[in-house]
Amino acid sequence: MTLTEKVAYLKGLAEGLNLDKDAKETKLFEAMFDILEDMALTVNDIDEDLAAVEELVDCIDEDLDELEDIIYDDDCDCDCGCGCDDDFDCDCGDELYEVECPSCGEAIYLDESMFDEEYIECPECGEKLELDIDFEDCDCDCDCCDDED
């Protein structure tokens, strides 16, 4: 039973008492029932508004979850299907090399395909950095330099 139904029930009980309409007590009861009815309607409106807000918050929460998945996506995006957690630790063979931007000091990760570029742009400060890599002096014990000799 809702609050408005309970107030209506109380009003019905009071009417069943056949109280004198002109008595002070009857006027007091009628005023109290009117106030109770107004309060019950107000509470009902608040409940409806709260339900609408809860629905909106749920929608916002779902949208935020989608945005977090997009922004904080830690999956490897090297398209190798290896399932690694990030590009730098990728097990697929596309090795990444870390270099430091001389302008801002930010770490920049390069893969072998970037070595063919004339320059790269620092993602942090936008500085254009020339790639001047001499593979003959490389002593990294990997096969990245074998192709260049």
Side-chain angles (χ1 to χ4, degrees):
M1 189 183 287
T2 65
L3 283 176
T4 52
E5 292 170 339
K6 289 178 182 180
V7 171
Y9 176 74
L10 285 176
K11 278 181 136 179
L13 285 177
E15 288 174 7
L17 293 175
N18 293 326
L19 298 173
D20 181 19
K21 295 272 185 194
D22 294 329
K24 292 179 185 179
E25 294 84 7
T26 305
K27 292 179 182 181
L28 176 65
F29 283 131
E30 286 176 357
M32 288 172 44
F33 290 135
D34 287 342
I35 292 172
L36 284 174
E37 187 174 28
D38 288 344
M39 290 173 63
L41 291 171
T42 301
V43 168
N44 188 41
D45 289 345
I46 291 171
D47 285 343
E48 289 175 2
D49 290 345
L50 180 61
V53 168
E54 286 174 344
E55 186 176 331
L56 183 61
V57 167
D58 287 343
C59 289
I60 292 171
D61 187 44
E62 290 172 13
D63 291 345
L64 182 59
D65 285 344
E66 289 177 25
L67 285 174
E68 286 175 343
D69 288 345
I70 292 168
I71 293 173
Y72 300 116
D73 183 18
D74 290 335
D75 294 338
C76 179
D77 55 1
C78 64
D79 297 328
C80 67
C82 68
C84 60
D85 289 339
D86 59 40
D87 288 340
F88 194 66
D89 294 329
C90 184
D91 297 331
C92 68
D94 291 339
E95 199 167 339
L96 293 178
Y97 304 91
E98 181 179 346
V99 295
E100 185 177 303
C101 175
S103 296
C104 68
E106 184 70 24
I108 301 171
Y109 299 98
L110 308 173
D111 65 17
E112 290 180 24
S113 68
M114 297 172 134
F115 295 149
D116 297 333
E117 302 292 325
E118 188 175 322
Y119 68 90
I120 61 166
E121 192 171 300
C122 175
E124 185 67 27
C125 68
E127 180 78 21
K128 290 183 180 181
L129 307 172
E130 289 185 33
L131 293 179
D132 185 20
I133 300 172
D134 186 7
F135 287 102
E136 293 176 13
D137 295 335
C138 179
D139 60 352
C140 66
D141 294 332
C142 69
D143 60 356
C144 68
C145 306
D146 295 341
D147 298 335
E148 303 294 327
D149 290 336

